[in-house]
């Protein structure tokens, strides 16, 4: 049995969980998420403990078992505390500003780049850091990846949009020849 899948999930007091037909609805202060449940997976809710069980021992069901448990755990964390990713704008003149709910970046192109966040995502800006936050872990990661893809760090100077704490391996560049 999956060690990840058999681990019980504790529901915080501030979060409400409803079992619907082949779905789990998780609601909290940060929002509401709906997680689809695969066909051979059963989710049981007893008081404030969620347990995930599998119906058979097929390879697909075994892989869905742990995945479903972690998706529910991520939803519980997201609606209670929320998820966020921080990115840094590295480069001379690279900056951003917030217009309404949109992020406008000036990162080396001839025009500013506007990023409109989807519903449930909040983008904030502190100095040269862009913070993407929301309840859905997958959506926060995807929006962050889309922002990074606008100007990924170059391999020589490291200029661009990078995740906070990301280690870049920079190429050495050209070496000058000495006359001989």
């Amino acid at each position: 049995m999956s060690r990840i899948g058999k681990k019980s999930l504790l529901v915080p007091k501030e979060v409400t969980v409803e079992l619907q037909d082949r779905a789990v609805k998780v609601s909290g202060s940060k929002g509401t998420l709906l997680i689809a449940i695969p066909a051979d997976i059963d989710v049981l809710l007893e008081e404030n403990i969620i347990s995930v069980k599998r119906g058979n021992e097929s390879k697909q069901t075994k892989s869905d078992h742990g995945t479903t448990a972690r998706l529910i755990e991520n939803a519980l964390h997201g609606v209670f505390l929320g998820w966020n990713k921080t990115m840094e704008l590295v480069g001379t003149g690279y900056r951003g500003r917030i217009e309404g709910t949109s992020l406008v970046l000036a990162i080396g192109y001839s025009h500013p780049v506007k990023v409109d966040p989807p519903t449930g995502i909040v983008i904030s800006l502190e100095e040269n850091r862009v913070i993407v936050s929301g309840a859905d872990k997958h959506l926060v990661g995807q929006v962050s990846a889309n922002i990074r893809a606008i100007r990924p760090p170059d391999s020589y100077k490291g200029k661009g949009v990078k995740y906070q704490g990301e280690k870049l391996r920079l190429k050495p560049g050209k070496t000058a020849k000495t006359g001989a």
Side-chain angles (χ1 to χ4, degrees):
M1 183 147 186
S2 168
R3 285 184 279 174
I4 291 175
K6 70 179 180 180
K7 180 180 166 190
S8 297
L9 304 172
L10 183 64
V11 179
K13 292 179 182 176
E14 296 82 5
V15 175
T16 59
V17 177
E18 297 176 32
L19 296 179
Q20 299 177 346
D21 186 45
R22 307 307 314 153
V24 176
K25 184 178 180 181
V26 183
S27 302
S29 62
K30 301 284 185 184
T32 301
L33 296 174
L34 193 66
I35 298 101
I37 305 300
D40 290 330
I41 302 295
D42 295 318
V43 178
L44 306 171
L45 177 63
E46 298 169 356
E47 294 181 18
N48 63 344
I49 295 176
I50 297 175
S51 53
V52 180
K53 306 288 182 197
R54 60 179 182 233
N56 60 42
E57 298 297 315
S58 71
K59 186 173 183 178
Q60 184 63 46
T61 304
K62 287 180 179 180
S63 63
D64 287 344
H65 185 211
T67 301
T68 303
R70 291 313 102 200
L71 289 174
I72 294 171
E73 183 182 49
N74 288 342
L76 290 171
H77 183 276
V79 299
F80 182 53
L81 299 173
W83 296 100
N84 61 17
K85 284 218 181 245
T86 304
M87 294 173 290
E88 298 173 345
L89 304 175
V90 179
T92 305
Y94 285 19
R95 61 189 175 277
R97 67 180 187 278
I98 301 290
E99 288 183 359
T101 60
S102 300
L103 172 68
V104 179
L105 297 172
I107 48 177
Y109 293 119
S110 61
H111 59 283
V113 179
K114 186 175 182 181
V115 178
D116 293 319
T119 306
I121 297 295
V122 176
I123 298 177
S124 59
L125 197 63
E126 295 177 3
E127 295 178 13
N128 65 338
R129 286 189 213 90
V130 178
I131 301 167
V132 179
S133 57
D136 189 354
K137 184 177 184 179
H138 173 76
L139 194 55
V140 168
Q142 187 60 55
V143 170
S144 300
N146 292 345
I147 292 172
R148 185 182 186 276
I150 294 169
R151 176 72 82 170
D154 76 327
S155 56
Y156 292 98
K157 293 184 180 178
K159 292 169 49 172
V161 181
K162 69 178 195 117
Y163 295 114
Q164 186 175 23
E166 180 181 5
K167 302 286 188 218
L168 300 176
R169 290 184 2 173
L170 301 179
K171 293 181 180 179
K174 294 183 179 181
T175 56
K177 283 189 174 183
T178 56

